[in-house]
Amino acid sequence: MAAGDTYINKSLPRVDGESKTLGQTKYITDIEIEGMAHAYPVCASVPFGKVKSVNYSKLSEDPDFITLVSASDIPGQNQVGVIIQDQPLFADETVRFVGDVIALVVAETHRSAVRLAKLVEVEYEKQEPLFSISSSQNSSSNFIHETNIACSHRVQKGDIDKGFAEADYIMEEQFSTPFQEHYYLEPQGCIAISESDGSFTIRGSLQCIYYVQKAVARVMGVEASLVRVIQSPTGGAFGGKEDIPSEICARAVLAAKICNRPIKVIYEREDDFQLTSKRHPFEMKYKIGVMNNGKILAAKVELNENAGAYATLSSVVSYRSSIQALGPYVIPNVEVESTSWYTNLPPTGAFRGFGSPQATFGHERMMSIVADKLAIDPIDFRLTNIIEPGDETITGHTLNHSVGIKETILEAQYKSNWTAEKQNKESERYLTGVGVASSIYGNCLGAAGWHLDGAGVNIQINRDGSIGVAYGLIEMGQGADTVITQMVAEALSVSPARVHIRPTDTASIPDSGPSVASRNVVMTGNAIQDAASKINPVVLDAAAKMMNCASSDILIEEDLIKNLVTGETVVFDKLTEFMHMNKYQVVAHGWWHVPELSFDHASGIGEAYFTYSYATHIAKVKIDKLTGLVQVEKIWAAHDVGKAMNPAGIEGQIEGGTLQGLGWALTENFQLDNGHVTSTNLSTYLVPTAMDIPDVETLIVESPDPEGPWGAKGVGEPAIIPTAAAIANAVSNATGRHFNKLPIIPESVLRELSNPKGV
Amino acid sequence: MAAGDTYINKSLPRVDGESKTLGQTKYITDIEIEGMAHAYPVCASVPFGKVKSVNYSKLSEDPDFITLVSASDIPGQNQVGVIIQDQPLFADETVRFVGDVIALVVAETHRSAVRLAKLVEVEYEKQEPLFSISSSQNSSSNFIHETNIACSHRVQKGDIDKGFAEADYIMEEQFSTPFQEHYYLEPQGCIAISESDGSFTIRGSLQCIYYVQKAVARVMGVEASLVRVIQSPTGGAFGGKEDIPSEICARAVLAAKICNRPIKVIYEREDDFQLTSKRHPFEMKYKIGVMNNGKILAAKVELNENAGAYATLSSVVSYRSSIQALGPYVIPNVEVESTSWYTNLPPTGAFRGFGSPQATFGHERMMSIVADKLAIDPIDFRLTNIIEPGDETITGHTLNHSVGIKETILEAQYKSNWTAEKQNKESERYLTGVGVASSIYGNCLGAAGWHLDGAGVNIQINRDGSIGVAYGLIEMGQGADTVITQMVAEALSVSPARVHIRPTDTASIPDSGPSVASRNVVMTGNAIQDAASKINPVVLDAAAKMMNCASSDILIEEDLIKNLVTGETVVFDKLTEFMHMNKYQVVAHGWWHVPELSFDHASGIGEAYFTYSYATHIAKVKIDKLTGLVQVEKIWAAHDVGKAMNPAGIEGQIEGGTLQGLGWALTENFQLDNGHVTSTNLSTYLVPTAMDIPDVETLIVESPDPEGPWGAKGVGEPAIIPTAAAIANAVSNATGRHFNKLPIIPESVLRELSNPKGV
């Protein structure tokens, strides 16, 4: 009601900070229910084959063994594919990767369930597995599903042949990026209860309560309203808890129904590595046609993704990477093909950035290579082609508002002292260099998921002035509860201390889609404004009645109700008491849906997303010529967030995203052997630690979006997107070699240093 | 959307019937939580005194003993008075009845908690207890609180002296009614959890989740939104779980906080008798001035209630009994005084009818006595004075709608073959007789509780066409979930099978007041209509879009969407799928508040309630002259319910209410000895069983109320109100003696039979 920012654009401390810091938060593993049994999956030990027999005779004598649940127990459908119906809950006929779940052991304890699951003997008729994209592409008879193509997307704009024909230079390069494991601190887990009224209650560490609800309803053959999903405090997710919990919960519910006992499933870390989704490895070909003056005329991009055994979210990862394949640049003639290929590896799916870090690695390495070739400063080259208000994206979407990419480049350039830093300094032992990378990120689900792109909030004001809030998206460690507390306080002009967030629960809010794609602030913020637009007139009317004046005489500001004529003020909870005594309704449901998007899926032309976030990272690296170790000394991370809701929270997201990007770029070397993940713990899979974090200087650029709440756009995923490309550009700059393949581990650095420059 | 009744006015089977019948429903005692401790109250063993010392040294060595919680542990206020602030959570200074809770023992098991609570040694400085209304009235220095008057109400209309002066006859009589124990099948109980974020979660067998929320917030010194109360399936309540759970839950929450463990409290039956509220005993004086033609000119009524040690809900019981003190009759000159007196007995509070059965016993015995005196048929005498549309109640409220009392009398008279039956038949051993009683019942809370008289519902339509419903009032065995399922189905024109009710939860719906006063159908039904008024236009709009026609061409009827022009039909869940894919919002909050009431509390004149339910019971009894046993052979129970939502459910309510009234009238002989309840089990407190139920013929009279949903009014409490008076009138008719005191046990019958007739 009051003008200006009172509670947003402020660094409110985390509302969940104290209980998490003190170790009081109860994660799913901390919850014990009387009578609970424990379940654990029996997994395929071969990457591809037919199941010939399943023998669990070794289990039957064990005092802790309860039962074995498998496909034949399913009352509904044996299907948990989230977009494409290619994934059985139990792989009872064909196993397609090491870790495909064949059955579920139920036992008295977790340890026994884990132990007994390993004693189930499965006989296979083995098939020849396909592990690489090329083997999948080149197979003419060996198909993992009906075809080896999981999905494909294209963008086709202008006249690509004419563009290349008119270009002064044409350059082609290939890039590749590896798997990445989410390594959320809390492994996958849930508790399922079969209720006496035929309904099911599920608690779990998860991102998408409505996906779980839908999957369980399908597997159990019941209506969605009989499936209640309540999110537990979730210790990290990063996309890894988008679709995977659906299968874990569906199996647990089935076991709970059969045993009539609560069932808990918690994955051991090594199995979490083997069984759950990863970031898609990409193989990319970029061909760019450019004029002498640095203007890009044409670009042809081929993206190929290793989807693993099941499509899961590949189609939307592929969609997003195709839309963003050429970054925040204006290019008149474009052809992008993005294809996901089935292989006999763990399924790849949602991971922070959702294909964007991969595509950004491609286009930003390419931009720097072309700039070098043209002998143009890489920042100047980017600015020559940068998208500005009034320009069109590669999908032909004219952007008129909130296009802050240029400001992020200029801000990072200025703060990093770019011109001085870009002069490489070489000492006897060390090389230094800087690299820049910019990115574009479509907010929310875009045209590919538009029908899911609504979200809700429920705001209930109590007699004592306290305010209960439920929303349909989730807190997974990113700070959503804190920002939502601020936005509710701002929208109602009351102190954030009054606002209390309830756990996310399918019973509280209708299907608000998945908690992904940096949707939370934008969707929930707008829903809060919708709810406030219903509550505030009622509150004003009540205030006027209480103060015996016209509602136009009332200002509600900073938790106070002010009569502007008499100067009288009363605190908010006196008003809520008055409202309670005088028949005022004090609850509202708020809803927001992304505006309609005009998009042609065949050509990939149109409004792919309703708005975009932008970022530029500049990385400064120091390379040890003796060991090949790359040390990132500093990252300047400039982000156009539309409008900052909680600057400290944004800094946290950017520092975390940057570090996760650094790990993907340099240290996290995901290894497989015949489909078995061999880097299944922190001694072999080197997730960067707090000690590895470089000095990250967050530069917040505000370019308010008219559709964003208070102008805000998403920042959770953009935080990671340009980092790896900036680091690779810095390493290339320092060494004079092209680092076009991630991760850049010391071995690769030493190998490249032994090659001549510029190859 | 469709006209006519499709899913209401139908006897839908109970939606909770199967799980209750099969024993699958989990009551609070069935729920075990890992790490849970158990608590039990330490109770005063004297009726009145100061606490000198509390010694729990006998407990400290017990391996099961955890801790003793008492007043000094309370972070907030030591106060749980629901209306008057006279009731400490822990009676740490003064105990006012046997059972006043001094402390709470926490132990590892329920049995140990019960055992250890008895080992706490309390020293008292005893005070002279007051047990009867007269001792409380006559005490000039011995006060239980600051005064011995808990509360009082009056109604004063016309000129009472002039009325009596003009009357042909004046008659005076005194009546008295006893305690009644609710004897819900499930004793009081709850589980409290202190959550890691500083909030509390409470599950319990209870009627009023918002009362518990408020009480816990006050005791713990936290905001209401930090207190989440979820109702467990509740095995009967009858008013006995209106305010009592507030204290039980507040103590459990305090113990949960101190011990950092979940705490369960379940009362043993004998303690449930001793500690919890009862029906108020009434002492009543009626003076009636009447003309030769049977017209009543004046009435003076004095009601005195034994409130027990604390006021609890006495003030609203007293209010209701004063308003209804003269039944459904037109009387121009009236004076009613109703006063509640503190005594050193268990507090009396809410009990089905809420003072109405007592006042009805008074006015209906009086009506029959006057009719006998005037030698007018008791039904004719009632019809002479009956209230009809356009008439005024004794509070001066002109009733224009839904005044169905005359129809209930005529219907019962006709069906019972009254004229024939009223001729007493005497055999050597048996006497027979009939009695009639009529009653008026103000719906919902009335002017005394108007500010609490709003209630809400939340309706959420899922993509698959299933519908989740939450409401703020509760199912306590009366069938609310079934009727609400029907009303939602009717309001949305969809099959009841789609509708699923969620447990009542303070987090789902804002403060909807208490689940009392037969509010549920009226309040929730209206709230459902409010929600439907928001949902239906959206659904119609979507249907028109889906069928590519005007919304005026659409009819939604019996789960089908019909295009009236083309004849095309699609089932509802196709529409919800379409809505999900096309940005339609599918949730609505509904709210209804009782209309404004104009009422003057000083004079008791005005709109006491917004509408009234009416009932007439005719009882036929057979009396064994040898044993004094009264057998009720049949009851004709005619009820004006406005509009029947579920006739089978109404029959169930009426049969249950009638039997509960029969128990109060004849068999339930509540006994105390120096403040100790001595009739604490079914061998001494004779609750009638299924074998005792007379033939009850339910006669549903429909007189639709314009404010009621589909015209409905409440029937849960009216079911019990006239029964005891009708039975007493029948016994008086059979014997020719005045039975003015309940219960009419065989001893009293034999004593009266030994007296001459008509005294």
Side-chain angles (χ1 to χ4, degrees):
Chain A
M1 299 188 185
D5 303 336
T6 307
Y7 304 114
I8 56 165
N9 214 342
K10 301 277 188 299
S11 292
L12 187 79
R14 286 280 290 251
V15 297
D16 52 349
E18 185 176 315
S19 63
K20 284 182 173 165
T21 311
L22 296 178
Q24 293 167 339
T25 303
K26 286 206 187 302
Y27 294 93
I28 194 74
T29 196
D30 300 320
I31 299 172
E32 298 296 327
I33 297 176
E34 190 82 11
M36 191 162 70
H38 299 260
Y40 211 73
V42 176
C43 299
S45 59
V46 303
F48 197 20
K50 302 276 180 217
V51 176
K52 286 173 63 185
S53 68
V54 178
N55 177 355
Y56 60 102
S57 60
K58 283 189 183 167
L59 281 60
S60 54
E61 294 300 305
D62 196 286
D64 275 2
F65 175 65
I66 298 171
T67 192
L68 188 87
V69 176
S70 61
S72 60
D73 297 311
I74 294 173
Q77 296 174 41
N78 184 16
Q79 182 52 249
V80 289
V82 59
I83 297 173
I84 298 171
Q85 308 305 296
D86 65 354
Q87 188 171 7
L89 180 67
F90 289 112
D92 56 335
E93 293 175 359
T94 304
V95 298
R96 296 182 176 87
F97 73 103
V98 174
D100 223 347
V101 175
I102 295 164
L104 190 75
V105 167
V106 186
E108 291 294 342
T109 69
H110 171 68
R111 282 185 183 280
S112 290
V114 173
R115 176 175 56 80
L116 293 170
K118 311 271 185 259
L119 298 181
V120 176
E121 293 164 317
V122 184
E123 263 193 301
Y124 305 95
E125 182 187 319
K126 289 186 193 173
Q127 289 176 260
E128 180 65 27
L130 306 171
F131 295 134
S132 66
I133 291 172
S134 61
S135 67
S136 180
Q137 285 173 319
N138 298 331
S139 175
S140 56
S141 61
N142 190 8
F143 294 126
I144 296 170
H145 295 275
E146 282 180 26
T147 155
N148 283 342
I149 295 178
C151 56
S152 67
H153 290 277
R154 67 163 26 185
V155 177
Q156 216 158 6
K157 183 189 171 193
D159 184 335
I160 188 82
D161 295 330
K162 188 161 169 278
F164 281 121
E166 291 174 1
D168 292 326
Y169 297 96
I170 294 175
M171 267 157 282
E172 289 185 68
E173 288 287 339
Q174 296 194 21
F175 307 100
S176 83
T177 62
F179 281 102
Q180 185 176 22
E181 161 65 25
H182 304 87
Y183 214 92
Y184 25 73
L185 283 180
E186 183 199 22
Q188 303 276 353
C190 73
I191 294 174
I193 298 173
S194 175
E195 307 283 0
S196 60
D197 63 356
S199 69
F200 303 104
T201 305
I202 299 127
R203 286 182 167 73
S205 177
L206 44 87
Q207 276 182 265
C208 300
I209 57 172
Y210 305 100
Y211 281 0
V212 172
Q213 184 184 42
K214 191 179 159 188
V216 169
R218 181 160 58 175
V219 166
M220 298 307 295
V222 299
E223 292 179 307
S225 60
L226 289 174
V227 181
R228 183 171 184 179
V229 185
I230 303 166
Q231 189 220 3
S232 295
T234 294
F238 307 114
K241 293 171 184 169
E242 176 167 358
D243 57 322
I244 296 296
S246 297
E247 51 172 287
I248 299 173
C249 294
R251 291 187 198 109
V253 166
L254 181 62
K257 177 74 178 174
I258 288 170
C259 302
N260 199 22
R261 290 172 65 172
I263 297 289
K264 187 190 243 185
V265 179
I266 306 283
Y267 276 11
E268 294 291 303
R269 179 67 71 183
E270 55 267 34
D271 294 313
D272 203 309
F273 260 91
Q274 181 69 57
L275 272 62
T276 71
S277 63
K278 318 274 162 257
R279 183 185 297 290
H280 289 76
F282 271 46
E283 300 290 340
M284 301 176 267
K285 291 181 189 163
Y286 275 76
K287 179 179 173 187
I288 298 279
V290 64
M291 302 300 289
N292 275 327
N293 64 3
K295 276 278 182 193
I296 300 172
L297 269 194
K300 182 171 160 59
V301 181
E302 191 184 319
L303 308 176
N304 288 293
E305 302 105 37
N306 189 330
Y310 298 105
T312 74
L313 293 145
S314 288
S315 79
V316 273
V317 168
S318 169
Y319 171 79
R320 184 177 282 283
S321 63
S322 70
I323 301 298
Q324 298 171 184
L326 285 156
Y329 307 111
V330 177
I331 305 176
N333 305 293
V334 169
E335 187 178 298
V336 180
E337 291 275 359
S338 177
T339 310
S340 291
W341 300 88
Y342 287 124
T343 62
N344 294 111
L345 293 178
T348 50
F351 195 139
R352 193 179 198 173
F354 223 73
S356 314
Q358 296 98 311
T360 299
F361 183 73
H363 65 71
E364 289 306 281
R365 276 298 295 132
M366 195 70 199
M367 290 298 284
S368 286
I369 289 168
V370 175
D372 284 352
K373 191 80 176 182
L374 298 177
I376 305 178
D377 175 274
I379 286 187
D380 292 342
F381 178 55
R382 284 169 170 83
L383 290 174
T384 302
N385 294 286
I386 205 75
I387 193 162
E388 297 193 70
D391 287 340
E392 262 187 14
T393 67
I394 63 162
T395 73
H397 183 187
T398 302
L399 304 180
N400 292 313
H401 306 285
S402 191
V403 186
I405 180 60
K406 189 172 179 180
E407 289 76 5
T408 67
I409 295 179
L410 296 176
E411 184 76 2
Q413 182 184 37
Y414 171 73
K415 285 291 168 73
S416 67
N417 200 8
W418 170 261
T419 313
E421 290 287 352
K422 76 170 171 172
Q423 308 308 324
N424 310 350
K425 291 167 198 120
E426 179 163 3
S427 69
E428 195 177 344
R429 177 150 176 191
Y430 296 102
L431 295 165
T432 66
V434 288
V436 62
S438 293
S439 60
I440 184 170
Y441 179 79
N443 274 227
C444 303
L445 304 176
W450 181 86
H451 65 281
L452 290 170
D453 228 354
V457 68
N458 186 285
I459 300 178
Q460 184 172 315
I461 303 182
N462 297 305
R463 179 178 182 167
D464 66 358
S466 62
I467 298 170
V469 176
Y471 64 105
L473 303 181
I474 66 148
E475 166 71 63
M476 51 183 146
Q478 84 278 43
D481 282 357
T482 307
V483 172
I484 285 161
T485 297
Q486 291 178 269
M487 294 194 295
V488 170
E490 185 75 13
L492 301 178
S493 305
V494 300
S495 162
R498 297 191 181 280
V499 179
H500 301 288
I501 310 281
R502 300 196 299 266
T504 301
D505 181 343
T506 53
S508 299
I509 304 286
D511 189 348
S512 297
S515 295
V516 301
S518 308
R519 295 174 76 223
N520 215 331
V521 165
V522 171
M523 306 296 299
T524 310
N526 276 314
I528 288 168
Q529 292 192 338
D530 180 45
S533 74
K534 298 170 188 168
I535 291 174
N536 285 338
V538 177
V539 170
L540 263 187
D541 180 58
K545 189 166 173 189
M546 179 177 69
M547 290 190 149
N548 206 13
C549 65
S551 60
S552 55
D553 295 343
I554 297 283
L555 178 69
I556 303 185
E557 193 176 55
E558 295 188 27
D559 223 33
L560 291 177
I561 320 298
K562 302 180 182 177
N563 181 328
L564 294 172
V565 177
T566 64
E568 186 191 0
T569 66
V570 298
V571 74
F572 183 70
D573 46 44
K574 294 287 173 219
L575 175 61
T576 54
E577 174 71 20
F578 175 85
M579 289 174 75
H580 181 84
M581 300 300 284
N582 288 276
K583 201 182 151 177
Y584 285 91
Q585 190 181 347
V586 284
V587 63
H589 175 77
W591 187 257
W592 193 71
H593 197 289
V594 163
E596 305 238 0
L597 299 173
S598 165
F599 187 82
D600 175 52
H601 284 277
S603 63
I605 294 298
E607 295 162 331
Y609 295 92
F610 80 96
T611 194
Y612 300 85
S613 295
Y614 304 92
T616 297
H617 284 194
I618 288 178
K620 180 180 170 187
V621 302
K622 182 175 167 187
I623 297 166
D624 187 330
K625 289 190 281 187
L626 188 65
T627 63
L629 198 72
V630 177
Q631 187 194 341
V632 181
E633 296 196 306
K634 177 147 186 174
I635 288 179
W636 292 266
H639 284 262
D640 168 18
V641 300
K643 165 94 175 180
M645 295 292 104
N646 185 318
I650 290 173
E651 278 182 39
Q653 281 282 29
I654 290 173
E655 288 176 12
T658 299
L659 194 64
Q660 203 166 32
L662 184 153
W664 185 54
L666 300 178
T667 64
E668 297 178 24
N669 194 12
F670 192 89
Q671 293 293 303
L672 290 144
D673 177 14
N674 195 32
H676 293 260
V677 180
T678 55
S679 51
T680 59
N681 60 49
L682 290 180
S683 69
T684 48
Y685 188 75
L686 304 181
V687 173
T689 67
M691 297 298 289
D692 298 310
I693 195 166
D695 180 12
V696 177
E697 186 171 340
T698 296
L699 307 167
I700 295 178
V701 170
E702 292 192 333
S703 173
D705 190 277
E707 296 285 353
W710 295 277
K713 297 190 291 193
V715 73
E717 302 211 88
I720 196 180
I721 296 174
T723 311
I727 291 171
N729 282 341
V731 174
S732 301
N733 169 254
T735 59
R737 274 82 172 176
H738 288 176
F739 283 83
N740 293 352
K741 183 175 160 67
L742 296 181
I744 304 172
I745 55 174
E747 291 89 327
S748 2
V749 172
L750 291 177
R751 192 183 317 115
E752 286 296 332
L753 285 176
S754 70
N755 290 333
K757 282 197 181 187
V759 177
Chain B
M1 299 190 185
D5 303 336
T6 307
Y7 304 115
I8 56 166
N9 215 343
K10 302 278 188 298
S11 292
L12 187 79
R14 286 281 290 250
V15 296
D16 52 348
E18 184 176 317
S19 64
K20 284 182 173 165
T21 310
L22 296 178
Q24 293 168 339
T25 303
K26 286 205 186 303
Y27 294 93
I28 194 73
T29 196
D30 299 321
I31 300 173
E32 298 295 327
I33 299 177
E34 190 80 13
M36 191 162 69
H38 299 261
Y40 212 75
V42 176
C43 299
S45 58
V46 302
F48 198 19
K50 302 276 179 217
V51 175
K52 285 174 64 185
S53 68
V54 178
N55 178 353
Y56 61 101
S57 59
K58 282 187 183 169
L59 283 60
S60 53
E61 295 302 306
D62 195 286
D64 275 1
F65 176 65
I66 298 172
T67 192
L68 187 87
V69 176
S70 61
S72 61
D73 297 311
I74 295 173
Q77 295 174 42
N78 183 17
Q79 181 55 247
V80 288
V82 59
I83 297 174
I84 298 171
Q85 307 305 295
D86 65 354
Q87 188 171 6
L89 180 68
F90 288 113
D92 56 335
E93 294 175 358
T94 303
V95 298
R96 295 183 177 88
F97 74 104
V98 175
D100 224 347
V101 174
I102 295 163
L104 190 76
V105 168
V106 186
E108 292 294 342
T109 69
H110 171 69
R111 282 184 182 281
S112 291
V114 173
R115 176 175 55 81
L116 293 171
K118 311 271 186 258
L119 299 181
V120 176
E121 294 165 317
V122 184
E123 266 194 301
Y124 306 94
E125 182 186 319
K126 290 187 192 173
Q127 289 175 261
E128 180 65 25
L130 306 172
F131 294 133
S132 67
I133 292 172
S134 61
S135 67
S136 180
Q137 285 173 321
N138 297 331
S139 175
S140 56
S141 61
N142 190 6
F143 294 126
I144 295 170
H145 294 276
E146 281 181 25
T147 155
N148 283 343
I149 295 179
C151 56
S152 66
H153 290 277
R154 67 163 27 182
V155 178
Q156 216 159 7
K157 183 188 171 195
D159 185 334
I160 187 81
D161 295 332
K162 187 158 169 281
F164 281 121
E166 292 175 0
D168 291 328
Y169 296 95
I170 295 174
M171 267 156 282
E172 290 186 66
E173 287 286 341
Q174 297 194 20
F175 308 99
S176 82
T177 62
F179 281 101
Q180 187 177 20
E181 162 64 24
H182 305 87
Y183 214 90
Y184 24 73
L185 283 180
E186 183 199 21
Q188 302 276 352
C190 72
I191 293 175
I193 298 173
S194 175
E195 305 283 1
S196 60
D197 62 357
S199 70
F200 303 103
T201 306
I202 300 125
R203 285 180 168 73
S205 177
L206 42 88
Q207 277 182 263
C208 300
I209 58 172
Y210 305 100
Y211 282 0
V212 172
Q213 184 183 43
K214 192 179 159 188
V216 169
R218 181 160 59 176
V219 166
M220 298 307 294
V222 300
E223 290 179 309
S225 59
L226 289 174
V227 181
R228 182 170 185 179
V229 186
I230 303 165
Q231 189 220 2
S232 295
T234 294
F238 308 113
K241 294 171 183 168
E242 175 167 357
D243 57 322
I244 297 295
S246 297
E247 51 171 286
I248 298 173
C249 295
R251 290 186 199 110
V253 166
L254 181 61
K257 178 74 178 175
I258 289 170
C259 301
N260 198 23
R261 290 172 66 172
I263 297 289
K264 187 189 244 186
V265 179
I266 306 282
Y267 275 12
E268 294 291 304
R269 180 66 72 181
E270 56 267 35
D271 295 314
D272 202 309
F273 260 93
Q274 180 71 55
L275 272 63
T276 71
S277 63
K278 316 274 163 259
R279 184 185 297 289
H280 289 76
F282 270 46
E283 301 289 339
M284 302 175 268
K285 291 180 191 166
Y286 275 75
K287 180 180 173 187
I288 298 280
V290 65
M291 301 301 288
N292 274 326
N293 64 3
K295 276 278 180 192
I296 300 171
L297 269 194
K300 183 170 158 63
V301 181
E302 193 182 316
L303 307 177
N304 289 293
E305 301 104 37
N306 190 329
Y310 298 106
T312 73
L313 293 146
S314 288
S315 78
V316 273
V317 168
S318 170
Y319 170 79
R320 184 177 283 281
S321 61
S322 70
I323 301 298
Q324 300 173 183
L326 285 156
Y329 306 111
V330 178
I331 305 176
N333 306 293
V334 169
E335 187 177 298
V336 180
E337 290 273 358
S338 178
T339 310
S340 290
W341 300 89
Y342 287 123
T343 63
N344 294 111
L345 293 178
T348 49
F351 195 139
R352 195 178 196 175
F354 224 72
S356 315
Q358 298 99 310
T360 299
F361 183 73
H363 66 71
E364 289 306 280
R365 276 298 297 132
M366 195 69 198
M367 289 297 284
S368 286
I369 290 168
V370 173
D372 283 353
K373 192 79 175 183
L374 298 176
I376 304 178
D377 175 272
I379 286 187
D380 292 342
F381 178 55
R382 283 169 171 83
L383 290 174
T384 302
N385 294 286
I386 205 73
I387 193 162
E388 297 193 71
D391 287 339
E392 263 187 13
T393 68
I394 64 162
T395 73
H397 182 186
T398 303
L399 304 180
N400 292 313
H401 308 285
S402 189
V403 187
I405 180 61
K406 190 171 177 182
E407 289 76 6
T408 67
I409 295 178
L410 296 176
E411 184 76 2
Q413 183 185 37
Y414 171 73
K415 286 290 168 77
S416 67
N417 200 9
W418 170 261
T419 313
E421 290 287 353
K422 77 171 174 175
Q423 307 308 324
N424 308 354
K425 294 168 196 116
E426 181 161 3
S427 69
E428 195 177 343
R429 179 150 174 194
Y430 297 102
L431 297 163
T432 65
V434 289
V436 62
S438 293
S439 60
I440 184 170
Y441 179 78
N443 274 227
C444 303
L445 303 177
W450 181 86
H451 65 281
L452 289 171
D453 228 353
V457 68
N458 186 284
I459 300 179
Q460 184 172 315
I461 303 182
N462 297 306
R463 179 177 181 169
D464 66 358
S466 62
I467 298 171
V469 176
Y471 63 105
L473 303 181
I474 66 148
E475 166 70 64
M476 52 181 146
Q478 83 279 41
D481 282 356
T482 307
V483 172
I484 285 161
T485 297
Q486 292 177 270
M487 295 194 294
V488 170
E490 184 74 14
L492 301 179
S493 305
V494 300
S495 161
R498 298 193 181 278
V499 179
H500 301 287
I501 310 280
R502 300 197 297 267
T504 301
D505 180 343
T506 53
S508 299
I509 304 286
D511 190 348
S512 297
S515 296
V516 300
S518 308
R519 294 175 76 223
N520 215 332
V521 165
V522 171
M523 306 296 300
T524 309
N526 276 312
I528 288 167
Q529 292 192 338
D530 180 44
S533 75
K534 297 170 189 169
I535 290 173
N536 285 337
V538 177
V539 170
L540 264 186
D541 181 57
K545 190 166 173 190
M546 179 177 67
M547 291 192 148
N548 205 14
C549 64
S551 60
S552 56
D553 294 343
I554 298 281
L555 178 69
I556 303 185
E557 193 175 55
E558 296 189 29
D559 223 32
L560 291 176
I561 320 299
K562 302 180 182 176
N563 182 329
L564 294 173
V565 177
T566 64
E568 184 192 1
T569 65
V570 298
V571 74
F572 184 69
D573 45 44
K574 294 289 173 217
L575 176 62
T576 54
E577 174 70 19
F578 175 85
M579 289 175 74
H580 181 82
M581 299 301 284
N582 288 277
K583 200 181 151 178
Y584 285 91
Q585 191 180 347
V586 285
V587 62
H589 174 77
W591 187 257
W592 192 72
H593 196 289
V594 162
E596 305 240 0
L597 299 172
S598 165
F599 187 82
D600 175 52
H601 285 276
S603 64
I605 293 300
E607 296 161 331
Y609 294 92
F610 81 97
T611 195
Y612 300 85
S613 295
Y614 304 91
T616 297
H617 285 194
I618 289 177
K620 179 180 170 189
V621 302
K622 180 174 166 189
I623 297 165
D624 186 331
K625 290 190 280 187
L626 187 65
T627 64
L629 199 72
V630 177
Q631 188 194 341
V632 181
E633 296 196 306
K634 177 145 186 175
I635 288 179
W636 292 265
H639 284 262
D640 168 17
V641 302
K643 165 95 175 179
M645 295 293 104
N646 185 318
I650 290 172
E651 277 182 40
Q653 280 282 28
I654 289 171
E655 288 176 13
T658 299
L659 194 64
Q660 202 166 33
L662 183 153
W664 185 52
L666 299 178
T667 65
E668 299 178 24
N669 193 12
F670 192 89
Q671 293 292 302
L672 291 144
D673 177 14
N674 195 33
H676 293 259
V677 180
T678 55
S679 51
T680 58
N681 59 50
L682 290 180
S683 68
T684 49
Y685 187 75
L686 304 180
V687 174
T689 68
M691 298 296 290
D692 299 309
I693 195 165
D695 180 13
V696 177
E697 186 171 341
T698 297
L699 307 168
I700 295 178
V701 170
E702 292 192 331
S703 173
D705 191 278
E707 296 285 353
W710 295 276
K713 300 190 289 192
V715 72
E717 303 210 270
I720 196 180
I721 296 173
T723 312
I727 291 171
N729 283 341
V731 174
S732 302
N733 168 256
T735 59
R737 276 79 172 178
H738 288 176
F739 283 83
N740 293 351
K741 183 176 161 68
L742 296 181
I744 305 171
I745 57 175
E747 291 90 325
S748 1
V749 173
L750 292 178
R751 194 182 314 116
E752 285 297 332
L753 286 177
S754 70
N755 290 333
K757 282 196 179 187
V759 176

